[in-house]
């Protein structure tokens, strides 16, 4: 801001008497929003526009039918990940557990989960 | 390390600890001012605090505009923090209003069992205080205009309406200074003077802080760091300004009008 003040002071002193004010005029409109956004914010908005509401996978997933042969697949780039199972609709606590890469694991309520490989966020 | 969550885990920064040192120095030097009448240390501490806050907020602005760290949930959390801060300021003002009502609803023997106390000539609420009310309410309207213009991507209108808001805010501060200068009573004139000047004085400080906040918001709009989806500085400064406006309305009703 200070450098802007100095620069505009220099500009004013260099101007002739009949120079128009066009050069320092403020434009009517903002630049296009998507062109100025960067970083994670931009990725989030792009994902929302593309219809992928849960790009960061923070929503609670609905559990479908599963068995030992067809467990629920949970993706992770790491070798282990914490998951939480809400066993029944009336549960007041979440069953948290570490899911390790390898064989399917079973929650105390009987549902099966398995950790599968996933591409990292940079690749998505 | 890549991440796949929308939260913002900030990188290491010296400003929080340095700000806490600056605050410690400020408070101790203020006590020193009251005892030894030496203002130099306090001014130095204030300067250091300003430097710290400037750099801290400059970093936040960089993280939001250039790095794009402010996802929707981060913005939500920042807004929640601002709401909590404004709530704490509301409680601060409630404490002064409490003190005022404690003194005025049942005037004590020492001030002559009447309110305003004998000898005190309060301000006429239909003169400068009414003008102040009009000024602040209009500035609330102009900053709402600015917000709507920003959402509609009208850059020139946004800056124009923000400038109107700032000029109204500065006009309010000038009018209050004028009132203070020409007041017939001072802060030492019984509980009336104390409660009046403490409450209106703290409100005046909040107006000045709010004006500075709006000026930083203009700066971020002018340099195009704000855009139609990412304009927390304008939103939060507008909230703070509305809070200042509402406090003034209560002040006007109770301390200017009911007082008379």
């Amino acid at each position: 801001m200070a450098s802007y003040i100095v620069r505009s002071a220099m500009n004013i002193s260099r101007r002739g008497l009949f120079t128009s004010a066009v050069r320092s005029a403020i434009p009517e409109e903002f630049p296009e929003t998507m062109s100025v956004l960067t970083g994670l914010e931009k990725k989030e908005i792009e994902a929302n526009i593309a219809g992928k509401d849960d790009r960061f996978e923070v929503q609670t997933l609905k559990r479908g039918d599963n068995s030992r042969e067809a467990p629920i697949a949970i993706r992770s780039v790491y070798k282990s990940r914490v998951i939480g199972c809400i066993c029944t609709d009336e549960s007041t606590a979440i069953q948290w557990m570490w899911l390790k890469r390898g064989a399917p694991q079973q929650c105390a309520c009987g549902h099966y989960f398995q950790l599968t490989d996933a591409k990292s966020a940079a690749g998505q | 390390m890549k991440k796949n969550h929308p939260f913002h885990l900030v990188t290491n920064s010296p400003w929080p600890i340095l700000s806490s040192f600056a605050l410690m120095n400020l408070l101790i030097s203020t006590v020193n001012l009251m005892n030894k009448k030496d203002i130099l240390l306090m001014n130095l501490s204030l300067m250091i605090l300003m430097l710290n806050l400037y750099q801290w907020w400059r970093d936040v602005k960089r993280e939001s505009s250039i790095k794009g760290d402010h996802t929707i949930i981060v913005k939500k959390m920042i807004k929640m923090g601002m709401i909590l801060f404004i709530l704490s300021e509301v409680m601060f003002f409630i404490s002064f209003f409490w003190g005022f009502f404690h003194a005025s609803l049942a005037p004590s023997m020492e001030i002559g069992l009447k309110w305003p106390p004998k000898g005190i000539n309060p301000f006429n609420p239909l003169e400068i205080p009414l003008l102040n009310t009009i000024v602040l309410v209009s500035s609330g309207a102009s900053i709402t205009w600015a917000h709507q213009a920003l959402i509609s991507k009208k850059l020139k209108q946004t800056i124009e309406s923000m400038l109107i808001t700032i000029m109204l805010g500065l006009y309010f501060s000038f009018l209050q200074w004028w009132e203070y200068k020409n007041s017939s009573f001072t802060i030492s004139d019984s509980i009336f003077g104390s409660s009046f000047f403490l409450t209106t004085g703290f409100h005046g400080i909040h107006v000045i802080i709010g004006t500075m906040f709006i000026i930083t918001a203009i700066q971020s709009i002018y340099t195009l760091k704000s855009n139609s989806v990412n304009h927390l500085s304008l939103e939060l400064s507008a909230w703070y300004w509305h809070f200042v406006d509402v406090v003034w309305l209560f002040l006007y009703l109770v301390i200017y009008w009911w007082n008379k």
Side-chain angles (χ1 to χ4, degrees):
Chain A
M1 189 67 188
S3 66
Y4 175 77
I5 293 172
V6 169
R7 264 188 285 129
S8 59
M10 304 284 279
N11 281 342
I12 290 169
S13 52
R14 267 202 292 263
R15 271 154 78 142
L17 271 174
F18 301 110
T19 312
S20 75
V22 170
R23 198 150 66 114
S24 57
I26 300 170
E28 282 291 330
E29 303 255 327
F30 275 93
E32 173 57 39
T33 305
M34 287 308 283
S35 68
V36 294
L37 291 175
T38 60
L40 206 55
E41 188 186 9
K42 182 171 191 176
K43 288 206 190 100
E44 184 183 34
I45 291 186
E46 281 172 348
N48 278 336
I49 293 173
K52 268 186 71 179
D53 278 337
D54 196 20
R55 188 202 176 283
F56 298 110
E57 297 176 9
V58 289
Q59 312 277 22
T60 312
L61 300 166
K62 206 137 175 59
R63 190 180 46 219
D65 286 331
N66 58 84
S67 62
R68 207 195 150 91
E69 292 74 33
I72 296 167
I74 311 266
R75 297 173 343 160
S76 175
V77 294
Y78 300 107
K79 292 202 183 61
S80 57
R81 179 179 179 166
V82 173
I83 61 165
C85 179
I86 304 173
C87 298
T88 63
D89 278 341
E90 297 92 28
S91 305
T92 51
I94 301 176
Q95 280 298 113
W96 300 104
M97 65 200 92
W98 275 105
L99 208 55
K100 305 248 179 354
R101 197 67 70 78
Q105 283 166 239
Q106 188 183 28
C107 172
C109 60
H111 293 281
Y112 285 94
F113 303 93
Q114 186 174 32
L115 199 66
T116 58
D117 203 3
K119 286 203 294 282
S120 70
Q124 284 169 355
Chain B
M1 179 145 112
K2 301 269 186 256
K3 60 170 183 173
N4 191 36
H5 60 77
F7 302 101
H8 181 205
L9 299 173
V10 295
T11 52
N12 291 338
S13 163
W15 312 126
I17 186 91
L18 291 181
S19 300
S20 66
F21 289 153
L23 268 175
M24 172 188 74
N25 279 326
L26 179 66
L27 292 172
I28 295 181
S29 58
T30 309
V31 173
N32 189 46
L33 166 70
M34 292 177 203
N35 282 318
K36 299 276 173 50
K37 310 223 191 321
D38 174 23
I39 205 169
L40 172 69
L41 270 177
M42 195 192 85
N43 283 341
L44 269 173
S45 307
L46 260 177
M47 250 173 34
I48 292 175
L49 183 64
M50 294 297 125
L51 271 172
N52 268 312
L53 293 177
Y54 166 72
Q55 289 173 105
W56 193 343
W57 281 319
R58 176 207 65 188
D59 283 355
V60 173
K61 280 242 61 68
R62 285 177 178 175
E63 284 162 4
S64 84
S65 56
I66 304 172
K67 286 186 70 196
D69 281 332
H70 284 190
T71 55
I72 291 176
I73 191 154
V74 170
K75 286 204 275 264
K76 203 185 276 196
M77 298 197 317
I78 293 176
K79 284 188 206 174
M80 212 174 291
M82 188 67 187
I83 290 175
L84 288 173
F85 172 64
I86 291 179
L87 259 176
S88 78
E89 297 261 73
V90 167
M91 296 312 295
F92 180 68
F93 275 100
I94 285 178
S95 71
F96 286 111
F97 276 101
W98 185 327
F100 171 80
F101 279 124
H102 177 96
S104 60
L105 284 171
S108 70
M109 189 68 77
E110 284 85 350
I111 56 171
L113 295 172
K114 65 187 281 288
W115 191 270
K118 189 170 162 61
I120 300 266
N121 185 20
F123 295 109
N124 185 353
L126 295 175
E127 291 179 355
I128 290 187
L130 183 59
L131 175 59
N132 273 337
T133 309
I134 296 171
V135 164
L136 273 188
V137 171
S138 314
S139 67
S142 64
I143 201 167
T144 308
W145 173 21
H147 190 199
Q148 292 304 314
L150 178 43
I151 294 175
S152 316
K153 302 204 184 129
K154 302 257 179 285
L155 176 53
K156 193 155 182 223
Q157 270 192 38
T158 310
I159 293 188
E160 283 169 353
S161 46
M162 296 279 274
L163 283 174
I164 290 174
T165 312
I166 290 183
M167 288 199 278
L168 287 169
L170 290 172
Y171 187 35
F172 175 90
S173 301
F174 167 74
L175 285 169
Q176 278 297 75
W177 170 80
W178 182 258
E179 278 267 89
Y180 275 26
K181 198 156 146 27
N182 296 318
S183 166
S184 62
F185 58 94
T186 70
I187 197 172
S188 353
D189 285 326
S190 83
I191 186 67
F192 183 94
S194 296
S195 56
F196 179 90
F197 281 107
L198 265 179
T199 320
T200 57
F202 269 116
H203 176 262
I205 293 175
H206 282 69
V207 168
I208 292 171
I209 291 174
T211 311
M212 291 199 289
F213 197 171
I214 297 179
I215 291 176
T216 62
I218 284 196
Q219 201 257 4
S220 93
I221 291 168
Y222 194 83
T223 50
L224 296 177
K225 292 204 179 73
S226 294
N227 51 61
S228 62
V229 299
N230 197 350
H231 48 261
L232 273 179
S233 55
L234 189 147
E235 263 191 84
L236 300 187
S237 65
W239 286 355
Y240 198 74
W241 194 249
H242 289 310
F243 148 71
V244 154
D245 189 8
V246 167
V247 170
W248 171 259
L249 289 174
F250 278 107
L251 264 180
Y252 181 66
L253 273 173
V254 170
I255 296 198
Y256 284 94
W257 206 348
W258 179 82
N259 235 353
K260 192 95 173 101

